[in-house]
Amino acid sequence: MTNERLRAAITDAGFSLQEFSDQLGVDPKTVERWITKDRMPYLSHRMNAARIVGKTPGYLWPSTEADPRTKSATRAELVDVYPSRGALPISMWEELIDTATEAIDILAFAGSFLHDGIPEFGERIETRAAAGVRIRLLFGDPDSRAVELRGKEEGIGDLMAARCRLTWNYLAPLLDGVAGIQARQHDSTVYASLFRFDNTLLVNPHALGAPAGHSPILHLQRIAGGKLFDHYLESFDRTWHSSSPGTG
């Protein structure tokens, strides 16, 4: 058997076999065996290879899905469950923002609680961007069908679109010349609001007929070999790439 997923992923990422091997720090013949003989790399190589080509280890090596170590790592990623978004102390949000060093990714419809409930949210985000943190903000297009539908589902009608517009108005100063902050408007169904701070991810699943703030929060911490963190981050990336540039 051959590993055509790995071969295609390397090609799609724009690497030659030599370039990919150099990035990974292994001999090209080793990578060739992974492809032509479907040899299984060590976990560290699987994780790094997946990162380099922008795929998950489970996609490149499906047989690892049943690996007890993968299951154990996935369970370990779940740090805590909060009954509602309000159960998280504001100090936790502040700390997650203020200590981020690599990436902050946010996906929601309006996320009004961010600028309503977190002191100096905009200034905190701007400070992290100035420190070199990559900021990606994904909020709803007020005129989209997805926002209209979510407003109906929550029983608040046009108020959802109004909240989205308010969020974009609030973001306007951050989108005007602040380097490191990217924002896009989406028209996607949001099954879970996502708040990523480096290797910490807060997942807020949505429920029909209930505001997102009334639904639980899953506190995830990325662990090598785990699947939950990467599963939700892939969802963020898919939404990001299908969205349009945000405007103030």
Side-chain angles (χ1 to χ4, degrees), residues 37-92:
K37 299 182 182 299
D38 199 19
R39 296 281 179 83
M40 182 66 66
Y42 292 121
L43 175 60
S44 60
H45 288 329
R46 296 202 303 268
M47 297 298 296
N48 288 333
R51 175 182 54 80
I52 291 169
V53 300
K55 302 294 184 181
T56 64
Y59 172 81
L60 297 176
W61 293 279
S63 62
T64 62
E65 296 292 302
D67 187 341
R69 290 176 298 179
T70 298
K71 293 182 179 179
S72 178
T74 298
R75 286 193 293 267
E77 285 188 305
L78 181 58
V79 177
D80 208 344
V81 178
Y82 297 85
S84 68
R85 196 171 61 209
L88 275 75
I90 294 299
S91 59
M92 181 176 177

Side-chain angles (χ1 to χ4, degrees), residues 41-224:
Y42 292 121
L43 175 60
S44 60
H45 288 329
R46 296 202 303 268
M47 297 298 296
N48 288 333
R51 175 182 54 80
I52 291 169
V53 300
K55 302 294 184 181
T56 64
Y59 172 81
L60 297 176
W61 293 279
S63 62
T64 62
E65 296 292 302
D67 187 341
R69 290 176 298 179
T70 298
K71 293 182 179 179
S72 178
T74 298
R75 286 193 293 267
E77 285 188 305
L78 181 58
V79 177
D80 208 344
V81 178
Y82 297 85
S84 68
R85 196 171 61 209
L88 275 75
I90 294 299
S91 59
M92 181 176 177
W93 292 100
E94 293 175 322
E95 181 179 1
L96 287 171
I97 295 171
D98 294 345
T99 60
T101 60
E102 296 179 4
I104 294 176
D105 296 327
I106 295 176
L107 166 63
F109 275 118
S112 303
F113 77 96
L114 295 168
H115 49 82
D116 287 344
I118 300 175
E120 301 178 333
F121 172 74
E123 290 82 353
R124 291 177 187 274
I125 290 294
E126 186 173 356
T127 297
R128 299 324 300 149
V133 178
R134 184 201 64 190
I135 313 289
R136 295 188 297 177
L137 306 175
L138 259 176
F139 294 106
D141 178 349
D143 298 316
S144 68
R145 171 60 179 159
V147 169
E148 178 186 5
L149 179 59
R150 185 59 186 173
K152 290 179 179 178
E153 290 175 346
E154 287 195 12
I156 61 174
D158 293 341
L159 185 56
M160 177 59 73
R163 288 178 178 175
C164 290
R165 291 191 176 89
L166 181 61
T167 291
W168 285 111
N169 289 337
Y170 179 85
L171 291 175
L174 297 178
L175 306 183
D176 185 17
V178 178
I181 299 180
Q182 304 174 68
R184 292 188 178 185
Q185 292 186 344
H186 70 79
D187 58 359
S188 301
T189 299
V190 177
Y191 296 99
S193 298
L194 304 175
F195 309 91
R196 183 264 184 105
F197 308 93
D198 291 344
N199 289 322
T200 297
L201 179 64
L202 302 178
V203 179
N204 182 196
H206 292 189
L208 184 64
H214 293 181
S215 292
I217 288 276
L218 310 180
H219 178 183
L220 306 181
Q221 192 71 27
R222 190 180 219 163
I223 291 178

Side-chain angles (χ1 to χ4, degrees), residues 2-21:
T2 60
N3 190 333
E4 295 304 324
R5 286 189 179 184
L6 178 58
R7 189 198 304 275
I10 293 172
T11 301
D12 292 345
F15 294 112
S16 67
L17 193 64
Q18 181 66 58
E19 290 169 336
F20 176 74
S21 302

